[in-house]
Amino acid sequence: MSPSRVLVLNSGSSSVKYQLLDMSDGERLAAGLVERIGEENARLRHTHLGSGTDREWTGPISDHEAALKAVADELAKDGFGLDSPELVAIGHRVVHGGKTFTEPTVIDDTVLAEIERLIPVAPLHNPANLIGIRTAMALRPDLPQVAVFDTAFHTTMPESAARYAIDVQVADEYRVRRYGFHGTSHAYVSRATAKLLGKAPEDVNVIVLHLGNGASASAVRGGKCVDTSMGLTPLEGLVMGTRSGDIDPAVIFHLARVGGMSIDEIDTLLNKKSGLVGLCGDNDMREIHRRIDEGDAAAQLAFDIYIHRLKKYIGAYCAVLGTVDAIAFTAGVGENAAPVREAAVAGLETLGPAVDGALNAVRSDQPRLISPEDARVKVAVVPTDEELEIATQTYALVRRSD
């Protein structure tokens, strides 16, 4: 049997998430997380999924190279070392691929240079992604390393959706356009929703709502994204845990001119001190619901604003798609917060979607429909699996290359 294992790496500025999958059957072999890289009290949590064995330790991890070496050591303890002949490739999550990368790509010096060139439009993510890639390449220079881009799924948007209405020359010079994010999740969930409906992806129109601390919506026609809520950066669109989402651009000018705030201060405000946390001090939907149950007016208003924005995007994407077969909720809030799903669809019955209260209340980690059988537009809960999507795309590319 040919090698079929893929290691998926998601490198953040101070963390590395990883999963090892066997793509011959999709089995997860191991998974883990390294946190607080660069600190004396860094932590590594590792799970051998086959046996259910968990290991955890804390201590100094100086940099990403040390973190990946620690990951390699943990994998080796379970017989999955990076030197294993069963390992066919390493797949890397890369947040921003711009217009250049429309599909998974084998990484070489040219690809690295382009990812680096895109740092100005993804200053929080691409540098960390690059560190993880370069470290992995140093550890296994002989192994194919594949970049899977968050933005790639959204490159099928028509120019009418991707372009902002600003001077074309300025937009082109500074690469200002809507790129979209969470693409691996939207790709996976849209296909999984089609499967849930018993149809092929090309025969289904789906509105995907990826609702986590970061949140985005997409309109997917026949398996291809035609619109999405995030834009040049992940700041645009829905109300999120700490991000404002859509806002009048003149608010920035007002805060600078009248409030005397610097660009960096406004950036911090909109990205880290806005959204749910800015409205009520909490970005955990469970805590917000607890406070609502106790009669907290600020929590109730934050929830109402969150739902109002969500409804606007559902309605807009119904208009964009014309015909909608399903609305799919995914990610931490989308998968677990029944009140969010119920409130988001309430009042939209004339557009087709409806939620069955009993089905919506059931907690499950399986894809499922929560709409009445006679609903014109089905409502689904589809747990996302970005690691599996990255591994699948990586493995398919390596197999084609071979």
Side-chain angles (χ1 to χ4, degrees):
M1 184 179 293
S2 60
S4 57
R5 293 176 184 170
V6 174
L7 177 63
V8 175
L9 294 178
N10 182 353
S11 300
S13 57
S14 61
S15 66
V16 175
K17 289 174 63 178
Y18 63 94
Q19 280 196 21
L20 180 68
L21 301 94
D22 189 331
M23 300 312 296
S24 64
D25 56 9
E27 181 186 3
R28 285 172 176 77
L29 303 174
L33 171 66
V34 186
E35 299 177 284
R36 301 193 291 263
I37 295 172
E39 299 181 21
E40 290 298 311
N41 63 336
R43 179 171 65 173
L44 188 153
R45 288 177 290 168
H46 175 88
T47 302
H48 179 191
L49 294 166
S51 65
T53 303
D54 292 317
R55 295 190 294 271
E56 180 174 327
W57 61 266
T58 59
I61 295 180
S62 58
D63 53 27
H64 282 70
E65 181 178 1
L68 284 182
K69 286 181 178 177
V71 169
D73 289 343
E74 292 300 317
L75 290 169
K77 292 176 184 177
D78 298 329
F80 306 135
L82 291 190
D83 58 351
S84 169
E86 293 298 313
L87 188 61
V88 68
I90 298 178
H92 298 266
R93 179 200 180 207
V94 179
V95 166
H96 215 308
K99 289 181 65 178
T100 304
F101 299 110
T102 61
E103 56 188 15
T105 305
V106 175
I107 301 169
D108 57 19
D109 289 343
T110 301
V111 174
L112 286 172
E114 183 62 17
I115 295 172
E116 190 163 14
R117 192 176 74 87
L118 287 163
I119 285 176
V121 289
L124 299 179
H125 299 96
N126 275 29
N129 300 155
L130 279 168
I131 291 171
I133 290 170
R134 287 177 169 136
T135 302
M137 292 178 77
L139 290 174
R140 279 298 306 268
D142 60 313
L143 200 66
Q145 312 267 340
V146 175
V148 178
F149 298 90
D150 269 12
T151 49
F153 182 66
H154 303 302
T155 58
T156 55
M157 283 191 295
E159 286 293 280
S160 56
R163 283 267 182 190
Y164 291 110
I166 66 172
D167 181 88
V168 171
Q169 290 183 334
V170 171
D172 288 346
E173 181 176 356
Y174 297 105
R175 302 188 295 279
V176 176
R177 61 187 289 113
R178 176 173 288 108
Y179 294 102
F181 299 89
H182 296 144
T184 51
S185 177
H186 287 280
Y188 176 86
V189 171
S190 61
R191 287 202 313 273
T193 303
K195 183 178 180 181
L196 188 63
L197 298 180
K199 298 181 179 181
E202 56 267 26
D203 297 328
V204 174
N205 291 352
V206 183
I207 297 172
V208 178
L209 303 173
H210 178 108
L211 307 180
N213 192 49
S216 61
S218 68
V220 183
R221 177 184 292 127
K224 297 184 182 299
C225 177
V226 295
D227 205 350
T228 192
S229 58
M230 286 181 168
L232 173 72
T233 75
L235 181 59
E236 187 181 1
L238 303 175
V239 174
M240 305 176 221
T242 66
R243 298 181 189 129
S244 65
D246 292 340
I247 195 168
D248 181 350
V251 169
I252 297 170
F253 315 144
H254 178 79
L255 293 175
R257 292 168 180 159
V258 179
M261 295 177 68
S262 69
I263 290 297
D264 287 343
E265 288 172 331
I266 297 171
D267 190 319
T268 298
L269 170 70
L270 298 181
N271 275 292
K272 298 180 179 180
K273 297 181 179 180
S274 295
L276 293 172
V277 78
L279 290 167
C280 72
D282 274 309
N283 61 337
D284 187 322
M285 192 60 74
R286 294 166 296 187
E287 180 64 14
I288 290 172
H289 282 302
R290 185 194 66 76
R291 289 171 55 184
I292 290 172
D293 290 341
E294 294 178 352
D296 189 306
Q300 183 66 65
L301 179 59
F303 180 79
D304 292 344
I305 293 171
Y306 182 95
I307 295 298
H308 179 75
R309 184 78 54 82
L310 192 52
K311 280 179 179 285
K312 286 175 68 175
Y313 269 92
I314 293 172
Y317 286 170
C318 284
V320 167
L321 290 171
T323 299
V324 179
D325 295 289
I327 297 171
F329 288 86
T330 193
V333 174
E335 294 170 26
N336 297 298
V340 168
R341 298 191 296 260
E342 180 181 6
V345 174
L348 301 181
E349 290 80 7
T350 57
L351 296 177
V355 165
D356 180 290
L359 294 175
N360 188 37
V362 174
R363 295 186 67 88
S364 172
D365 60 0
Q366 298 300 311
R368 61 200 185 277
L369 294 176
I370 59 170
S371 50
E373 287 188 12
D374 60 351
R376 294 201 322 273
V377 176
K378 304 301 182 185
V379 180
V381 181
V382 180
T384 191
D385 198 332
E386 294 175 89
E387 288 78 15
L388 178 58
E389 181 68 18
I390 292 170
T392 299
Q393 292 191 28
T394 297
Y395 187 61
L397 176 58
V398 172
R399 288 287 299 272
R400 289 198 302 270
S401 299
D402 289 344

